[in-house]
Amino acid sequence: MFEIILGAISLGLLWAIMTIGVYITYRILDIADLTVEGSIAMGAAIAAFSIFNGMNPFVATCLAFVGGMLAGLVTGILHTKLKIPALLAGILTMIALYSVNLRIMGKANLSLLRIDTVFTPMENLGLSPTYSVMLFGFISVMAIVGLLYWFFGTEIGCAIRATGNNPQMARAQGINTNNMIILGLVISNGLVALSGSLIAQSQSFADIQMGIGSIVIGLASVIIGEVIFGTRNFFNCLISLVLGAITYRIIIALVLKMGMPANDLKLFTAITVAIALSLPVFKTYLRPIKKSMNGGDL
């Protein structure tokens, strides 16, 4: 059981990077961006193909990040310049990326067994694969949280937050909201692709289907983090996202341990997200009951 939880934590740290990317579009920009399902597989495909062909794994990981940024740029241009609704723009890019990812890898999946990855240097120090992934994931996540906390406190970062919060007011203040939306999508999908590249290296293979359902996993982690760990301020919110991703992975690991078929995981995740998103509605129904009970006590 201890090993299962450790594995869930290590994987959760890698998925936390994707969760932060989803949060930028879903919460900050108020856009449901389905590009995620293509860009996470794109990051895995770029990293796996590059490493398989002898490229330094750290350079390959950075290249995957750039690839994800380009995917976000395409979605941003489709939405802001060509006036395609954000949801449809994300779907179009996601569909296109399926073919792009196949072109990159040359086949549906690519193995990285017995090939050096970004985790190899830590394994060479004597750490087990699980602890290597956990340590590297923790360092990466904390660096990203620190950078984003700083960035969203800058003038440009505040402009992105203002654009998502109130675009009309942002335009009245002289902010080019179209550029801010594009920038937010670029950062978001860059992080998602980075997460995909690290996940592929941790599991030693990249698969064209690995992005399916990733947006739901990201939303589940976001909602779990916000509900359980709170959103008192922006830094607390970023940490909550990380803890939410880890919590989600632990829940999945425990559910599998209890005997749930792996084929039912997508259904379980969808139900979890639906319940979490419905919590505000449940609270409105429970409030009158609470008041009546308090009145009865008096």
Side-chain angles (χ1 to χ4, degrees), residues 113-215:
L113 287 172
R114 293 181 293 277
I115 298 178
D116 287 351
T117 65
V118 292
F119 309 112
T120 303
M122 295 184 180
E123 292 177 14
N124 292 338
L125 295 176
L127 293 176
S128 68
T130 300
Y131 281 108
S132 298
V133 173
M134 189 182 301
L135 180 58
F136 188 89
F138 179 77
I139 294 171
S140 300
V141 166
M142 288 300 102
I144 289 169
V145 166
L147 283 172
L148 288 180
Y149 181 70
W150 166 81
F151 174 74
F152 281 104
T154 64
E155 186 175 343
I156 295 176
C158 288
I160 294 175
R161 294 167 71 178
T163 297
N165 187 53
N166 192 329
Q168 291 80 13
M169 181 61 71
R171 283 192 290 270
Q173 296 296 321
I175 296 172
N176 188 323
T177 53
N178 284 344
N179 287 347
M180 294 303 106
I181 290 172
I182 291 174
L183 181 57
L185 287 167
V186 165
I187 296 171
S188 169
N189 284 282
L191 291 174
V192 170
L194 175 62
S195 175
S197 70
L198 295 177
I199 292 169
Q201 292 176 69
S202 71
Q203 62 190 16
S204 297
F205 73 92
D207 189 273
I208 194 69
Q209 303 286 351
M210 68 180 290
I212 296 177
S214 57
I215 183 66

